Amino acid sequence: MAKIGINIATGSLQKEEIIVGIDLGTTNSLVAIIHPETKQPVALKEHNSSSLVPSVVHFDAVGNITVGEEAKKYLVTEPHNTIFSVKRLMGKSYNDIKDNASSFSYKVIDDSNQAMVKVQAGTKFYSPAELSSFILKELKQRAEHILKTPVNKAVITVPAYFNDAQRQATRDAGKLAGLDVLRIVNEPTAASLAYGLGLHKEDDKTIAVYDLGGGTFDISLLKISGGIFEVLSTNGDTYLGGDDIDHAIVKHWLQQAGVSEAALQENKKFAQGIRLQAEAAKIFLSENDNFEKLFNGDKLLISRQTFEKIIQPFVDKTLTCCANALKDAGLKKEAIDVVVMVGGSTRVPLIKESVGAFFGRPVNDSVNPDEVVALGAAIQADILAGNNKDVLLLDITPLSLGIETMGGLMDVLIPRNSKIPNKASRQYTTQKDGQSGMKISVYQGERDMVKDNRKLAAFNLTNIPSMPAGLAKVEVSFLINADGILVVKAKELRSGVEQSIEVKAQQDLTDAELEKMLLDSITNAKEDIATRALVEARTEGEQLLETTEKFIQKNTSHITKEELMQTAAAMQALQLSLTMDDKDLIHTKAEALNGISRPYAERIMDAAISIAMKGKAV
Ligand code: ADP
Ligand code: MG
């Protein structure tokens, strides 16, 4: 049977080409591969340096971009032009992040209310995906330098809770960096793979992945069975991590010295400097009992005991999240078979002990917590390359699937990157009185207007019984089975009339076509939003004209001549605005019409109600 879409995972892979695994982290990013000889995952690093690349991008005055350790230095000297934690902005609008805007030392702007955030560095504006692409480019170059071969294909990890927009932004970042992103993998899934969990078909386990990184805490409960990973629940705190621990140590030192935090805010360079000292102290205390260092002429001191007292509230917070995740998954602690530690901050002994005590079992911490996610991504990459045939993998939809709605808009039922098998349904209604049929057109693609997407099939739901507009309830459901075949069904719920179709794409998309469609959707995103707004405004305007017309016809005798004339003029103005490409004008004219008709509509309704009341015996 023909399948819908293509399997980008297996479609055109040349076996020899290397596929890297990338952990694109909030704080640190890194690349890993399966070592061609040992067949073991390894994180790539230059001789004598760390595998970690700080996720920091610096822009200098003439437009040079540096990434990583080199860029991190500028956090102190040029906070405005040094971008960190860009992962927090991926797929977000300004509305999403405005409450936390103060946590960024650089300028986060929004150029319109619907649009995604942008970051200002120097005189230029960058999208989060662009900023992330600079980090990915750096990783790609590093890998190429170390491996002495071109690197074009990658698997990139994201938190399990990332939504479609955030995953899409991550994919876009990969594309912009010149990487073919074969799959987006959940970080906890990757971490589990690095521990060898899920690599055998008979594995049947419930896993808790505790991930405390630099700025975020995630707890994910996974079920693995038959080679399929299922996320049972996720919980966490997007503003809790190693940075908060550092901050707490700084606070402790300030208290000891009798310096106010406000004073610290005034000297940004000093603030960053002392923060770096706090991080050094924290890392030192994972293996030692006392930290002591001279800084700016003052002695900075902290003992492990004090440190543990300071961080206890953070640890407790994470455990509360763990309890909530268990509750959401409907599981008891005893149901967890394995607890996996992820993220640099889980190196703190108190954290490992507390998490172990909470789950009532020792935690798995044998794999380097900074690297474990990237190592798992490399394993996933190797599976995709076809080198590990024993592992069953879930497929994903490479492009969104949806139907055409009023005005030629694309209404997505199954977003791209959704797992297969999958199902989704949504209700629609009729636009006209007595409408007896409804055309269901199925499209694939990321653009807002169906004309820019690919039409897969169309069919008519007929024999809808006669009823007024808006009363019919047509449920359209999409079902993609494990073979990737899409079945579309439409059913009018009041009458039970139904119709279905099996969609078989004539030919699969090539990688190049797929890429073009995705690139087009990125390039045209802004224009698409504007077009959608205009189409929606027009549809609303047309509907308002229709309902007003009907209302007047029914109630002519209760409306004054003056009101009728004003209404006619307002309707004409609205009608005219519909022919122009200006959604604000349409809104203004629609509001004007509403303003005129509202008083008499209310008057007529009130009268009708009071008549109805009078008729009733109380
Ligand atoms: P992310 O996933 O957010 O990119 P990482 O997993 O790389 O972050 O974790 C980075 C955090 O780990 C930083 O806050 C860093 O200070 C902290 N960290 C690294 N090593 C240690 C250590 N030995 N003890 C405590 N914290 C550590
Ligand atoms: Mg991480």
Side-chain angles (χ1 to χ4, degrees):
M1 270 199 200
K3 292 186 182 181
I4 195 167
I6 59 151
N7 188 334
I8 45 170
T10 54
S12 66
L13 281 186
Q14 298 137 323
K15 239 186 145 189
E16 309 314 322
E17 196 172 351
I18 189 124
I19 309 174
V20 298
I22 296 181
D23 172 2
L24 182 59
T26 311
T27 318
N28 296 303
S29 301
L30 68 155
V31 191
I33 59 157
I34 299 295
H35 194 283
E37 277 134 45
T38 64
K39 308 286 176 209
Q40 294 301 307
V42 283
L44 296 180
K45 57 176 155 204
E46 305 268 10
H47 216 56
N48 281 338
S49 71
S50 164
S51 59
L52 301 185
V53 175
S55 305
V56 182
V57 183
H58 172 258
F59 298 85
D60 77 5
V62 292
N64 293 318
I65 299 172
T66 47
V67 173
E69 212 58 63
E70 199 61 26
K72 205 172 162 183
K73 290 179 198 151
Y74 294 102
L75 283 173
V76 182
T77 52
E78 293 178 36
H80 302 294
N81 294 327
T82 313
I83 317 300
F84 63 95
S85 289
V86 64
K87 191 173 178 179
R88 295 186 192 287
L89 302 176
M90 295 292 270
K92 298 277 171 104
S93 70
Y94 187 71
N95 256 341
D96 296 329
I97 58 114
K98 63 173 187 295
D99 294 344
N100 294 305
S102 65
S103 74
F104 302 97
S105 61
Y106 44 87
K107 200 162 172 209
V108 180
I109 52 140
D110 69 325
D111 47 3
S112 100
N113 31 11
Q114 308 121 322
M116 296 282 149
V117 289
K118 288 236 166 171
V119 170
Q120 184 174 9
T123 53
K124 285 197 179 149
F125 301 102
Y126 299 92
S127 71
E130 274 174 292
L131 293 167
S132 292
S133 82
F134 297 135
I135 298 170
L136 290 171
K137 252 186 219 157
E138 171 75 21
L139 295 175
K140 175 172 143 72
Q141 274 166 13
R142 267 186 183 228
E144 288 175 337
H145 188 245
I146 296 167
L147 298 170
K148 310 219 165 15
T149 170
V151 170
N152 298 313
K153 295 180 191 285
V155 166
I156 305 180
T157 57
V158 297
Y161 61 79
F162 254 31
N163 65 23
D164 198 55
Q166 293 168 299
R167 284 166 200 262
Q168 207 144 309
T170 306
R171 253 178 200 280
D172 297 344
K175 274 253 147 75
L176 292 170
L179 287 169
D180 186 359
V181 182
L182 298 185
R183 190 165 293 191
I184 297 287
V185 182
N186 286 334
E187 287 161 10
T189 302
S192 304
L193 286 172
Y195 273 96
L197 301 161
L199 287 178
H200 306 283
K201 272 195 192 121
E202 61 276 17
D203 277 354
D204 195 340
K205 289 202 164 71
T206 307
I207 307 166
V209 181
Y210 181 102
D211 181 349
L212 191 59
T216 58
F217 168 63
D218 302 321
I219 171 77
S220 314
L221 302 183
L222 308 176
K223 167 107 190 124
I224 98 163
S225 120
I228 295 177
F229 283 85
E230 189 188 348
V231 179
L232 299 177
S233 67
T234 63
N235 209 295
D237 189 330
T238 47
Y239 284 87
L240 174 61
D243 296 348
D244 299 284
I245 296 179
D246 302 344
H247 188 78
I249 295 173
V250 170
K251 212 167 136 188
H252 168 76
W253 283 337
L254 292 179
Q255 265 169 10
Q256 297 252 299
V259 179
S260 77
E261 275 198 77
L264 188 69
Q265 287 313 317
E266 266 153 40
N267 189 342
K268 284 222 157 81
K269 284 187 191 177
F270 177 81
Q272 291 278 18
I274 195 166
R275 202 197 60 76
L276 291 175
Q277 290 303 321
E279 182 176 10
K282 168 186 77 176
I283 292 171
F284 189 75
L285 289 175
S286 286
E287 316 226 318
N288 303 275
D289 288 333
N290 282 292
F291 174 87
E292 202 180 311
K293 180 90 187 274
L294 215 58
F295 176 72
N296 260 28
D298 284 315
K299 201 182 238 172
L300 300 174
L301 271 176
I302 187 167
S303 71
R304 179 131 156 203
Q305 214 181 358
T306 309
F307 171 69
E308 294 190 341
K309 215 171 88 197
I310 290 176
I311 67 167
Q312 191 63 50
F314 299 121
V315 180
D316 292 344
K317 244 181 167 174
T318 67
L319 296 180
T320 307
C321 294
C322 293
N324 288 335
L326 283 167
K327 207 168 114 210
D328 290 346
L331 291 177
K332 293 219 153 62
K333 288 175 192 173
E334 298 74 47
I336 304 297
D337 300 308
V338 187
V339 182
V340 171
M341 299 302 261
V342 178
S345 301
T346 61
R347 283 227 171 79
V348 174
L350 175 73
I351 292 179
K352 283 191 223 188
E353 289 154 22
S354 308
V355 177
F358 175 86
F359 284 102
R361 64 178 60 248
V363 299
N364 287 28
D365 64 348
S366 57
V367 181
N368 180 335
D370 302 317
E371 297 182 347
V372 62
V373 168
L375 298 176
I379 295 174
Q380 178 89 25
D382 195 47
I383 296 168
L384 293 178
N387 298 333
N388 196 340
K389 293 235 160 43
D390 293 341
V391 184
L392 185 66
L393 277 168
L394 277 188
D395 241 330
I396 50 159
T397 55
L399 291 167
S400 302
L401 295 164
I403 68 165
E404 175 176 0
T405 55
M406 282 291 284
L409 289 177
M410 170 90 173
D411 201 26
V412 172
L413 274 94
I414 298 185
R416 82 191 169 97
N417 293 334
S418 295
K419 275 195 287 182
I420 295 173
N422 207 318
K423 59 172 190 263
S425 64
R426 196 166 293 163
Q427 279 187 20
Y428 301 90
T429 189
T430 43
Q431 299 296 335
K432 299 211 156 55
D433 289 341
Q435 185 177 331
S436 66
M438 191 185 253
K439 187 165 184 201
I440 312 289
S441 301
V442 184
Y443 285 84
Q444 181 184 36
E446 309 311 311
R447 301 285 301 276
D448 273 353
M449 304 297 297
V450 292
K451 69 171 170 53
D452 300 319
N453 290 329
R454 203 167 89 119
K455 188 167 182 173
L456 295 175
F459 65 98
N460 269 311
L461 176 65
T462 49
N463 296 326
I464 300 175
S466 182
M467 50 186 126
L471 220 63
K473 274 193 192 167
V474 177
E475 187 178 76
V476 175
S477 55
F478 276 33
L479 177 87
I480 311 180
N481 67 19
D483 291 333
I485 293 165
L486 172 69
V487 175
V488 180
K489 198 161 94 179
K491 181 174 183 174
E492 201 290 302
L493 298 175
R494 291 181 193 279
S495 58
V497 176
E498 70 171 86
Q499 189 86 41
S500 73
I501 183 172
E502 197 171 279
V503 183
K504 301 168 194 167
Q506 276 69 28
Q507 76 265 16
D508 286 346
L509 289 174
T510 63
D511 268 5
E513 285 170 321
L514 181 69
E515 182 168 344
K516 184 173 179 309
M517 288 180 85
L518 294 177
L519 272 178
D520 280 354
S521 76
I522 302 167
T523 330
N524 296 303
K526 262 223 167 92
E527 199 183 298
D528 274 6
I529 291 171
T531 314
R532 178 177 276 271
L534 181 62
V535 170
E536 278 170 358
R538 277 202 188 123
T539 307
E540 276 164 34
E542 275 162 13
Q543 280 170 346
L544 181 62
L545 283 174
E546 211 169 297
T547 46
T548 311
E549 178 82 50
K550 261 195 213 162
F551 188 85
I552 291 178
Q553 273 174 11
K554 243 175 97 180
N555 302 287
T556 323
S557 55
H558 303 287
I559 306 171
T560 67
K561 204 164 180 188
E562 164 125 27
E563 285 168 337
L564 278 175
M565 271 164 59
Q566 281 177 343
T567 306
M571 284 176 74
Q572 209 166 37
L574 176 58
Q575 186 77 57
L576 188 66
S577 75
L578 294 182
T579 63
M580 286 180 265
D581 292 341
D582 183 348
K583 76 164 179 6
D584 294 332
L585 183 69
I586 300 176
H587 283 308
T588 312
K589 298 299 172 199
E591 266 162 39
L593 173 57
N594 268 325
I596 291 166
S597 61
R598 196 175 299 116
Y600 63 76
E602 277 171 5
R603 195 178 67 220
I604 293 167
M605 302 284 229
D606 287 350
I609 291 168
S610 78
I611 289 169
M613 296 295 283
K614 268 183 201 144
K616 279 208 180 103
V618 185

